[in-house]
Amino acid sequence: MKFHLTKQPNKVDLTIAPCFLEEKLSEKLKLYGLSDEAIRLAAADFRAKPNELHLVYSPKFGRLLLLGTGERRELTPTALRNAMQSAIAAAKKFKPHSVQVLLTGLRSLQSSEYVEIIAFACLFANYSFNYYKQDQDKVTLDDLYLVGPPNSKAIQSSMERGGMIAAAANQARDLANHPANVATPSHLAKHALELAKKYRLRIKILNVDDMKKQGMGLLLGVSRGSDEPPKLIVIEYLPAGRQVGQPIVLIGKGLTFDSGGISIKPAERMEEMKYDMCGGATVLGILEAAAQLKLNLPLVGIIPSSENLLSGRATKPGDILSSMSGKNVEIINTDAEGRLILADAITYAKKYYKPRLIMDYATLTGAVIVALGDEFSGTFSNTNKYNQQLSKASQATGEKLWLMPLAQEYKDQLKSGVADLKNVGEKGVGGAITASLFLSYFVEETPWIHFDIAGTAWTMKNKSHMPAGATGWGVYHAIHFFQKLK
Ligand code: BES
Ligand code: ZN
Ligand code: ZN
């Protein structure tokens, strides 16, 4: 999809007109050439409530999709993102090749900030996953026009930024949406290699022998039950002329299928566990966006990737695995595997880089869904230094999160009678917290932010603003978060 910035409306297949509640709809529609009767009916049927959609036919524009954006003073970037995504999703029904968004006269929507999020939302909503459907639609939305904002360099670059970030988020969604028989650890590694080649990033893929040399007993223990070889992907983004120095290290859980292992999960909804690599996909998406935007910040992505299956070789409850850090872990439940593979990745990050900050993305616990549902990621950190920035980036991008306590009070839940640690706490007692605490034993003093994206990484419901499938949660948020880092 190509973006265009124009002063005047264009001849397109469909026009989207955002409308605020306090606007005089009849005057606006008169300008668009609608008859008095058509205006009367539209005014009766459409209130401009947030996300409300109403199609009218205008002599001037043809298909004209009115999009409610609520009260002007209540508009937020999140609300605008959702509204635009709903509008593009609805527009798809008409199979348009070209769409324009009429921002003429809507000064409050013409800022750089809003232009970026509109562009993001349009490209994000234009995504569809159809590799496996023979009767897939061949019609593509090729051109998107933003009509009205000043044709300045700043606006132009905001529009391009929004598009680039959405393209990276869509890549992450695509990677995650593939089924687990396709998206194996080797597939993830191959995708990472392609990414590295495209953007000239340094990359290293550790295989089983390398993991043995490093003593990564946790990652190896999780992968034992599977025939697919595990991979540890290490990929560096360095701004031109910069050394890696003290990078931000992004770690993503790349568990390509989580059956639970010997502590097997119930059959119901187990197919969703192909999404257990969404954290890894997010990290690759963030690196791609950073490379596209030429972000001025060294980043390292580390993705431990494995399946969690059962076989005669699989790790069993009661087994003790020794981690790269030297700590021995008693496995109580083989389904608490994410924290294990992350722990070895964290130790690797600390040994080979001196991270100024570690950020990890993981579909880690069902407990975080109980706590926060499917709209908010649970965020845990061993420092409060970034709290404000985390929230601000969240508000700017519509990727919602909630700060959760890394409650030291529960640390004892992870004490084992026979090893240094056990891999689960008490059942039903702060599961998302104890999972984070487990990670914190390996992170130690390094500044660290953990995102539990189990609720937000994918959705099975088709929402008006978000179709079923992977959501790419974290890509847009991270880019905004980085912008404010010095
Ligand atoms: N991948 C799951 C977490 C998950 C569950 C994500 C449901 C999304 C939806 C993780 O590996 C897991 O199984 N966690 C267990 C931990 C428990 C055994 C302590 C869980 O949350 O039930
Ligand atoms: Zn699990
Ligand atoms: Zn898992």
mmCIF file of all heavy atoms in Angstrom, residues 204-233:
data_model
loop_
_atom_site.group_PDB
_atom_site.id
_atom_site.type_symbol
_atom_site.label_atom_id
_atom_site.label_comp_id
_atom_site.label_asym_id
_atom_site.label_seq_id
_atom_site.Cartn_x
_atom_site.Cartn_y
_atom_site.Cartn_z
ATOM 1 N N LYS A 204 23.487 -14.288 14.695
ATOM 2 C CA LYS A 204 24.109 -15.544 15.071
ATOM 3 C C LYS A 204 22.965 -16.480 15.466
ATOM 4 O O LYS A 204 22.069 -16.066 16.207
ATOM 5 C CB LYS A 204 25.000 -15.270 16.285
ATOM 6 C CG LYS A 204 26.016 -16.312 16.549
ATOM 7 C CD LYS A 204 27.124 -15.687 17.384
ATOM 8 C CE LYS A 204 27.650 -16.684 18.377
ATOM 9 N NZ LYS A 204 28.649 -16.082 19.237
ATOM 10 N N ILE A 205 22.989 -17.698 14.957
ATOM 11 C CA ILE A 205 21.965 -18.666 15.349
ATOM 12 C C ILE A 205 22.652 -19.799 16.094
ATOM 13 O O ILE A 205 23.495 -20.493 15.516
ATOM 14 C CB ILE A 205 21.228 -19.247 14.109
ATOM 15 C CG1 ILE A 205 20.799 -18.147 13.145
ATOM 16 C CG2 ILE A 205 20.085 -20.159 14.545
ATOM 17 C CD1 ILE A 205 19.469 -17.586 13.320
ATOM 18 N N LEU A 206 22.328 -19.974 17.352
ATOM 19 C CA LEU A 206 22.923 -21.061 18.123
ATOM 20 C C LEU A 206 22.101 -22.332 17.922
ATOM 21 O O LEU A 206 20.863 -22.287 18.008
ATOM 22 C CB LEU A 206 22.950 -20.715 19.617
ATOM 23 C CG LEU A 206 24.138 -19.884 20.109
ATOM 24 C CD1 LEU A 206 24.085 -18.489 19.519
ATOM 25 C CD2 LEU A 206 24.143 -19.802 21.629
ATOM 26 N N ASN A 207 22.801 -23.445 17.637
ATOM 27 C CA ASN A 207 22.102 -24.728 17.536
ATOM 28 C C ASN A 207 22.369 -25.564 18.793
ATOM 29 O O ASN A 207 22.992 -25.086 19.744
ATOM 30 C CB ASN A 207 22.498 -25.445 16.244
ATOM 31 C CG ASN A 207 24.006 -25.636 16.189
ATOM 32 O OD1 ASN A 207 24.652 -25.755 17.232
ATOM 33 N ND2 ASN A 207 24.564 -25.640 14.985
ATOM 34 N N VAL A 208 21.921 -26.831 18.762
ATOM 35 C CA VAL A 208 22.000 -27.656 19.974
ATOM 36 C C VAL A 208 23.425 -27.756 20.521
ATOM 37 O O VAL A 208 23.644 -27.626 21.739
ATOM 38 C CB VAL A 208 21.417 -29.062 19.694
ATOM 39 C CG1 VAL A 208 21.705 -30.011 20.849
ATOM 40 C CG2 VAL A 208 19.915 -28.958 19.473
ATOM 41 N N ASP A 209 24.393 -27.960 19.615
ATOM 42 C CA ASP A 209 25.776 -28.089 20.092
ATOM 43 C C ASP A 209 26.258 -26.811 20.784
ATOM 44 O O ASP A 209 26.913 -26.867 21.828
ATOM 45 C CB ASP A 209 26.717 -28.409 18.919
ATOM 46 C CG ASP A 209 26.547 -29.860 18.482
ATOM 47 O OD1 ASP A 209 26.045 -30.652 19.308
ATOM 48 O OD2 ASP A 209 26.882 -30.170 17.330
ATOM 49 N N ASP A 210 25.918 -25.674 20.189
ATOM 50 C CA ASP A 210 26.294 -24.391 20.817
ATOM 51 C C ASP A 210 25.640 -24.262 22.193
ATOM 52 O O ASP A 210 26.242 -23.784 23.147
ATOM 53 C CB ASP A 210 25.840 -23.209 19.949
ATOM 54 C CG ASP A 210 26.401 -23.279 18.534
ATOM 55 O OD1 ASP A 210 27.598 -23.575 18.403
ATOM 56 O OD2 ASP A 210 25.627 -23.046 17.579
ATOM 57 N N MET A 211 24.381 -24.686 22.264
ATOM 58 C CA MET A 211 23.662 -24.576 23.553
ATOM 59 C C MET A 211 24.317 -25.465 24.606
ATOM 60 O O MET A 211 24.418 -25.091 25.768
ATOM 61 C CB MET A 211 22.193 -24.972 23.372
ATOM 62 C CG MET A 211 21.406 -23.990 22.517
ATOM 63 S SD MET A 211 19.786 -24.678 22.115
ATOM 64 C CE MET A 211 19.349 -23.623 20.733
ATOM 65 N N LYS A 212 24.746 -26.630 24.176
ATOM 66 C CA LYS A 212 25.420 -27.532 25.124
ATOM 67 C C LYS A 212 26.698 -26.874 25.633
ATOM 68 O O LYS A 212 26.993 -26.896 26.823
ATOM 69 C CB LYS A 212 25.742 -28.872 24.448
ATOM 70 C CG LYS A 212 24.510 -29.775 24.326
ATOM 71 C CD LYS A 212 24.879 -31.130 23.734
ATOM 72 C CE LYS A 212 23.613 -31.982 23.596
ATOM 73 N NZ LYS A 212 23.755 -33.018 22.547
ATOM 74 N N LYS A 213 27.443 -26.273 24.695
ATOM 75 C CA LYS A 213 28.688 -25.599 25.090
ATOM 76 C C LYS A 213 28.416 -24.483 26.092
ATOM 77 O O LYS A 213 29.197 -24.233 26.994
ATOM 78 C CB LYS A 213 29.387 -25.017 23.857
ATOM 79 C CG LYS A 213 30.297 -26.027 23.182
ATOM 80 C CD LYS A 213 31.090 -25.386 22.048
ATOM 81 C CE LYS A 213 31.302 -26.418 20.936
ATOM 82 N NZ LYS A 213 31.097 -25.900 19.586
ATOM 83 N N GLN A 214 27.312 -23.795 25.893
ATOM 84 C CA GLN A 214 26.970 -22.675 26.780
ATOM 85 C C GLN A 214 26.335 -23.158 28.092
ATOM 86 O O GLN A 214 26.074 -22.359 28.980
ATOM 87 C CB GLN A 214 25.997 -21.720 26.091
ATOM 88 C CG GLN A 214 26.549 -21.025 24.857
ATOM 89 C CD GLN A 214 27.606 -19.987 25.212
ATOM 90 O OE1 GLN A 214 27.784 -19.607 26.378
ATOM 91 N NE2 GLN A 214 28.330 -19.524 24.211
ATOM 92 N N GLY A 215 26.015 -24.436 28.156
ATOM 93 C CA GLY A 215 25.372 -24.973 29.365
ATOM 94 C C GLY A 215 23.916 -24.564 29.518
ATOM 95 O O GLY A 215 23.426 -24.397 30.638
ATOM 96 N N MET A 216 23.234 -24.402 28.389
ATOM 97 C CA MET A 216 21.838 -23.954 28.440
ATOM 98 C C MET A 216 20.883 -25.120 28.726
ATOM 99 O O MET A 216 20.041 -25.487 27.893
ATOM 100 C CB MET A 216 21.452 -23.291 27.113
ATOM 101 C CG MET A 216 22.252 -22.026 26.834
ATOM 102 S SD MET A 216 21.756 -21.312 25.283
ATOM 103 C CE MET A 216 22.351 -19.647 25.486
ATOM 104 N N GLY A 217 20.993 -25.642 29.933
ATOM 105 C CA GLY A 217 20.219 -26.833 30.287
ATOM 106 C C GLY A 217 18.716 -26.601 30.321
ATOM 107 O O GLY A 217 17.940 -27.552 30.176
ATOM 108 N N LEU A 218 18.292 -25.362 30.520
ATOM 109 C CA LEU A 218 16.849 -25.095 30.583
ATOM 110 C C LEU A 218 16.236 -25.138 29.194
ATOM 111 O O LEU A 218 15.236 -25.822 28.950
ATOM 112 C CB LEU A 218 16.581 -23.745 31.260
ATOM 113 C CG LEU A 218 17.096 -23.609 32.699
ATOM 114 C CD1 LEU A 218 16.707 -22.246 33.279
ATOM 115 C CD2 LEU A 218 16.558 -24.719 33.598
ATOM 116 N N LEU A 219 16.844 -24.419 28.256
ATOM 117 C CA LEU A 219 16.344 -24.424 26.879
ATOM 118 C C LEU A 219 16.416 -25.839 26.305
ATOM 119 O O LEU A 219 15.469 -26.326 25.669
ATOM 120 C CB LEU A 219 17.168 -23.431 26.042
ATOM 121 C CG LEU A 219 16.871 -23.323 24.542
ATOM 122 C CD1 LEU A 219 15.389 -23.078 24.275
ATOM 123 C CD2 LEU A 219 17.682 -22.185 23.919
ATOM 124 N N LEU A 220 17.527 -26.526 26.551
ATOM 125 C CA LEU A 220 17.663 -27.898 26.048
ATOM 126 C C LEU A 220 16.649 -28.823 26.709
ATOM 127 O O LEU A 220 16.066 -29.696 26.053
ATOM 128 C CB LEU A 220 19.092 -28.407 26.306
ATOM 129 C CG LEU A 220 20.151 -27.777 25.391
ATOM 130 C CD1 LEU A 220 21.565 -28.035 25.939
ATOM 131 C CD2 LEU A 220 20.024 -28.315 23.958
ATOM 132 N N GLY A 221 16.397 -28.608 27.969
ATOM 133 C CA GLY A 221 15.429 -29.441 28.698
ATOM 134 C C GLY A 221 14.026 -29.288 28.137
ATOM 135 O O GLY A 221 13.282 -30.272 28.016
ATOM 136 N N VAL A 222 13.647 -28.073 27.792
ATOM 137 C CA VAL A 222 12.310 -27.846 27.235
ATOM 138 C C VAL A 222 12.190 -28.515 25.866
ATOM 139 O O VAL A 222 11.146 -29.071 25.517
ATOM 140 C CB VAL A 222 12.011 -26.328 27.124
ATOM 141 C CG1 VAL A 222 10.747 -26.067 26.312
ATOM 142 C CG2 VAL A 222 11.884 -25.714 28.524
ATOM 143 N N SER A 223 13.268 -28.492 25.084
ATOM 144 C CA SER A 223 13.169 -28.990 23.703
ATOM 145 C C SER A 223 13.343 -30.507 23.607
ATOM 146 O O SER A 223 13.123 -31.084 22.545
ATOM 147 C CB SER A 223 14.205 -28.284 22.825
ATOM 148 O OG SER A 223 15.469 -28.866 23.050
ATOM 149 N N ARG A 224 13.694 -31.155 24.694
ATOM 150 C CA ARG A 224 14.013 -32.591 24.653
ATOM 151 C C ARG A 224 12.898 -33.472 24.101
ATOM 152 O O ARG A 224 13.147 -34.497 23.487
ATOM 153 C CB ARG A 224 14.353 -33.101 26.058
ATOM 154 C CG ARG A 224 15.775 -32.915 26.490
ATOM 155 C CD ARG A 224 15.989 -33.526 27.865
ATOM 156 N NE ARG A 224 15.853 -34.985 27.832
ATOM 157 C CZ ARG A 224 16.835 -35.821 27.496
ATOM 158 N NH1 ARG A 224 18.028 -35.338 27.206
ATOM 159 N NH2 ARG A 224 16.635 -37.126 27.481
ATOM 160 N N GLY A 225 11.653 -33.093 24.370
ATOM 161 C CA GLY A 225 10.527 -33.932 23.953
ATOM 162 C C GLY A 225 10.161 -33.780 22.486
ATOM 163 O O GLY A 225 9.257 -34.433 21.985
ATOM 164 N N SER A 226 10.868 -32.915 21.788
ATOM 165 C CA SER A 226 10.492 -32.570 20.413
ATOM 166 C C SER A 226 11.539 -33.041 19.411
ATOM 167 O O SER A 226 12.719 -33.129 19.735
ATOM 168 C CB SER A 226 10.348 -31.048 20.323
ATOM 169 O OG SER A 226 10.462 -30.611 19.001
ATOM 170 N N ASP A 227 11.103 -33.323 18.189
ATOM 171 C CA ASP A 227 12.046 -33.677 17.129
ATOM 172 C C ASP A 227 12.568 -32.452 16.385
ATOM 173 O O ASP A 227 13.529 -32.550 15.624
ATOM 174 C CB ASP A 227 11.372 -34.623 16.120
ATOM 175 C CG ASP A 227 11.130 -35.993 16.724
ATOM 176 O OD1 ASP A 227 11.775 -36.309 17.755
ATOM 177 O OD2 ASP A 227 10.293 -36.745 16.191
ATOM 178 N N GLU A 228 11.920 -31.329 16.579
ATOM 179 C CA GLU A 228 12.390 -30.099 15.920
ATOM 180 C C GLU A 228 13.556 -29.526 16.721
ATOM 181 O O GLU A 228 13.424 -29.289 17.926
ATOM 182 C CB GLU A 228 11.275 -29.044 15.875
ATOM 183 C CG GLU A 228 10.182 -29.311 14.864
ATOM 184 C CD GLU A 228 10.654 -29.155 13.425
ATOM 185 O OE1 GLU A 228 11.661 -28.467 13.180
ATOM 186 O OE2 GLU A 228 10.002 -29.755 12.548
ATOM 187 N N PRO A 229 14.686 -29.265 16.088
ATOM 188 C CA PRO A 229 15.818 -28.717 16.855
ATOM 189 C C PRO A 229 15.530 -27.301 17.346
ATOM 190 O O PRO A 229 14.970 -26.487 16.609
ATOM 191 C CB PRO A 229 16.967 -28.718 15.851
ATOM 192 C CG PRO A 229 16.323 -28.784 14.510
ATOM 193 C CD PRO A 229 15.007 -29.487 14.678
ATOM 194 N N PRO A 230 15.892 -27.006 18.606
ATOM 195 C CA PRO A 230 15.714 -25.652 19.131
ATOM 196 C C PRO A 230 16.746 -24.709 18.511
ATOM 197 O O PRO A 230 17.776 -25.160 18.006
ATOM 198 C CB PRO A 230 15.991 -25.817 20.621
ATOM 199 C CG PRO A 230 16.963 -26.955 20.693
ATOM 200 C CD PRO A 230 16.567 -27.892 19.581
ATOM 201 N N LYS A 231 16.442 -23.437 18.537
ATOM 202 C CA LYS A 231 17.375 -22.414 18.027
ATOM 203 C C LYS A 231 17.422 -21.269 19.022
ATOM 204 O O LYS A 231 16.412 -20.962 19.674
ATOM 205 C CB LYS A 231 16.885 -21.843 16.685
ATOM 206 C CG LYS A 231 16.672 -22.870 15.591
ATOM 207 C CD LYS A 231 17.996 -23.291 14.977
ATOM 208 C CE LYS A 231 17.778 -24.460 14.017
ATOM 209 N NZ LYS A 231 19.009 -25.056 13.556
ATOM 210 N N LEU A 232 18.569 -20.636 19.109
ATOM 211 C CA LEU A 232 18.627 -19.378 19.843
ATOM 212 C C LEU A 232 19.113 -18.327 18.851
ATOM 213 O O LEU A 232 20.223 -18.422 18.323
ATOM 214 C CB LEU A 232 19.570 -19.451 21.047
ATOM 215 C CG LEU A 232 19.523 -18.157 21.876
ATOM 216 C CD1 LEU A 232 18.660 -18.337 23.120
ATOM 217 C CD2 LEU A 232 20.904 -17.702 22.299
ATOM 218 N N ILE A 233 18.233 -17.383 18.572
ATOM 219 C CA ILE A 233 18.533 -16.357 17.568
ATOM 220 C C ILE A 233 19.085 -15.123 18.271
ATOM 221 O O ILE A 233 18.483 -14.641 19.239
ATOM 222 C CB ILE A 233 17.238 -15.983 16.808
ATOM 223 C CG1 ILE A 233 16.628 -17.228 16.147
ATOM 224 C CG2 ILE A 233 17.503 -14.884 15.780
ATOM 225 C CD1 ILE A 233 15.175 -17.054 15.733
#
